[in-house]
Amino acid sequence: MGLETIDRIRAFNRYYVRAIGLLENTVVKSGYTLTEAHIINEVNATPNTTATEINKKLKLDEGYLSRVIKKLISNSLLTKSRSATDKRAYVINLTEKGRTEYQKLDSRSTELVASNISNLDSKETVELANLMDRIQFLLEKNTSLEKDIIS
Amino acid sequence: MGLETIDRIRAFNRYYVRAIGLLENTVVKSGYTLTEAHIINEVNATPNTTATEINKKLKLDEGYLSRVIKKLISNSLLTKSRSATDKRAYVINLTEKGRTEYQKLDSRSTELVASNISNLDSKETVELANLMDRIQFLLEKNTSLEKDIIS
DNA sequence: ATTAATACTTGACAAAAGCAAGTAATTAAT
DNA sequence: ATTAATTACTTGCTTTTGTCAAGTATTAAT
């Protein structure tokens, strides 16, 4: 297959890095940092989670995560209460406001994607999603678990 | 096609953001920040460029860019000299060391991609590159120029 | 019981990035 | 032609983001 195939993959990665960078800016304009948005997403996806659980996905510095959570609590998006089963840990949940904000971020994100593919007809849109699924499938073949990187 | 198609696209974006985040960490371990690496790439791609030209691609804060370039100059990777044709601007180039470092970053990146797809056979690897090309083609359909975002 | 590991916090600090004001050179406007 | 506006870049100041290390409390391991 040759080196030029890898170069094509790298070209895509550069392209997508840039595209995603623009996304990130847009998320930030929503008033939350990307990290905050990720945390909100995580807590939404798995209620009654803990900082350690969140960090298995986000892999931030523990101290930093602790502070960001603190900030989200002081902004009334999250609640934290000592776990009954493990008093070292704190159970984290979204507040009502937190759920509302999650919904906003979520629909905002959907709108953005929709607008970014607005020139595609529905056939092409489905094709795009299929291509993406296939890429993810191929890339995940390489990494049985968790350690997947692409560069 | 329905909302679930957009959700699939968003799922891929999340997946890829994470994958690219891991890439970034790896680049950083090379001793340069991602921003520095991008600048080095740009100067390599277009010699005799200027800060403004670089920033058309990278879209950083001007002041920040100015400082990063300064740092790269003090590390002997770049040179800067007043443009003869426009004395406001500075012509930027790689030094010999800069070229060497570019080559290192470049081959490192190729190696990383290769290792991340090492489980694919050559047929699948070509398929992957084709899928990526097609995605890029579809996404670029949406934006005649420069303003492409995907989220 | 003692030691080690886990969950989290806090203080101090460093790096990355953004904002705003400024200089000098060039281009556009009248 | 002179003034005004724009462009290219720099610098000081601040904020945001992230790291490191030390510490507390709790739980698990031996």
Side-chain angles (χ1 to χ4, degrees):
Chain A
M1 75 196 178
L3 203 86
E4 71 292 344
T5 311
I6 289 189
D7 285 341
R8 285 165 65 202
I9 294 169
R10 287 183 60 201
F12 177 77
N13 287 339
R14 283 193 298 276
Y15 170 77
Y16 226 76
V17 165
R18 206 169 97 73
I20 284 171
L22 297 182
L23 145 72
E24 296 188 357
N25 280 339
T26 320
V27 168
V28 168
K29 273 169 203 147
S30 76
Y32 299 101
T33 68
L34 198 66
T35 303
E36 287 166 353
H38 282 157
I39 292 171
I40 293 168
N41 285 340
E42 279 307 312
V43 180
N44 178 75
T46 57
N48 296 316
T49 188
T50 64
T52 300
E53 280 305 309
I54 291 171
N55 223 13
K56 280 180 188 162
K57 285 234 176 176
L58 304 188
K59 320 236 178 192
L60 306 168
D61 175 80
E62 284 175 59
Y64 182 47
L65 176 59
S66 175
R67 269 181 259 259
V68 178
I69 289 171
K70 199 174 177 182
K71 183 187 166 197
L72 290 173
I73 289 169
S74 80
N75 290 352
S76 307
L77 297 179
L78 297 181
T79 58
K80 198 173 78 171
S81 60
R82 259 210 145 76
S83 163
T85 54
D86 181 346
K87 285 177 202 153
R88 293 168 304 180
Y90 295 86
V91 174
I92 297 169
N93 277 293
L94 289 175
T95 62
E96 199 49 56
K97 182 180 172 195
R99 270 185 289 275
T100 307
E101 290 303 303
Y102 166 77
Q103 294 296 345
K104 277 191 206 167
L105 286 169
D106 188 66
S107 53
R108 189 181 164 72
S109 176
T110 296
E111 278 166 32
L112 253 168
V113 170
S115 102
N116 284 318
I117 59 171
S118 56
N119 277 29
L120 304 184
D121 60 36
S122 63
K123 203 171 170 178
E124 288 168 327
T125 304
V126 172
E127 185 197 349
L128 180 64
N130 288 341
L131 293 165
M132 289 173 163
D133 281 353
R134 180 71 182 153
I135 287 180
Q136 195 167 347
F137 172 78
L138 287 172
L139 292 178
E140 280 171 345
K141 267 192 77 166
N142 203 60
T143 61
S144 47
L145 198 71
E146 284 296 294
K147 228 204 75 199
D148 44 288
I149 307 177
I150 182 86
S151 78
Chain B
M1 72 195 181
L3 203 85
E4 71 292 345
T5 310
I6 288 189
D7 285 340
R8 285 166 64 204
I9 294 170
R10 289 182 59 201
F12 177 77
N13 287 339
R14 283 194 298 274
Y15 170 76
Y16 226 75
V17 166
R18 206 168 97 74
I20 284 170
L22 297 182
L23 145 73
E24 296 189 356
N25 281 338
T26 320
V27 169
V28 168
K29 273 168 203 148
S30 76
Y32 300 101
T33 67
L34 196 66
T35 303
E36 287 165 353
H38 281 157
I39 292 172
I40 293 168
N41 286 339
E42 278 309 311
V43 180
N44 178 75
T46 58
N48 297 315
T49 189
T50 65
T52 301
E53 280 306 309
I54 291 172
N55 224 13
K56 280 180 187 161
K57 285 233 176 174
L58 304 188
K59 321 238 178 187
L60 305 168
D61 176 78
E62 284 175 60
Y64 181 48
L65 176 59
S66 175
R67 269 181 259 260
V68 178
I69 288 172
K70 200 174 178 181
K71 183 187 166 195
L72 290 173
I73 289 169
S74 80
N75 291 351
S76 307
L77 298 178
L78 297 182
T79 58
K80 198 172 78 171
S81 61
R82 258 211 146 77
S83 163
T85 54
D86 182 345
K87 288 177 200 150
R88 292 168 304 179
Y90 295 86
V91 174
I92 296 170
N93 277 292
L94 287 176
T95 62
E96 201 50 56
K97 183 180 172 195
R99 270 184 290 274
T100 307
E101 291 302 303
Y102 165 78
Q103 294 295 346
K104 277 192 207 165
L105 287 169
D106 188 65
S107 52
R108 189 181 163 72
S109 175
T110 296
E111 278 166 33
L112 252 167
V113 169
S115 101
N116 283 320
I117 59 172
S118 56
N119 277 28
L120 304 184
D121 60 35
S122 63
K123 202 171 171 177
E124 287 168 329
T125 305
V126 172
E127 185 197 349
L128 179 64
N130 288 341
L131 293 165
M132 288 172 164
D133 282 352
R134 179 72 181 152
I135 287 181
Q136 197 168 345
F137 172 79
L138 287 172
L139 292 179
E140 281 172 346
K141 268 192 78 165
N142 202 60
T143 63
S144 47
L145 199 70
E146 284 297 293
K147 229 205 76 198
D148 45 290
I149 306 176
I150 182 88
S151 78

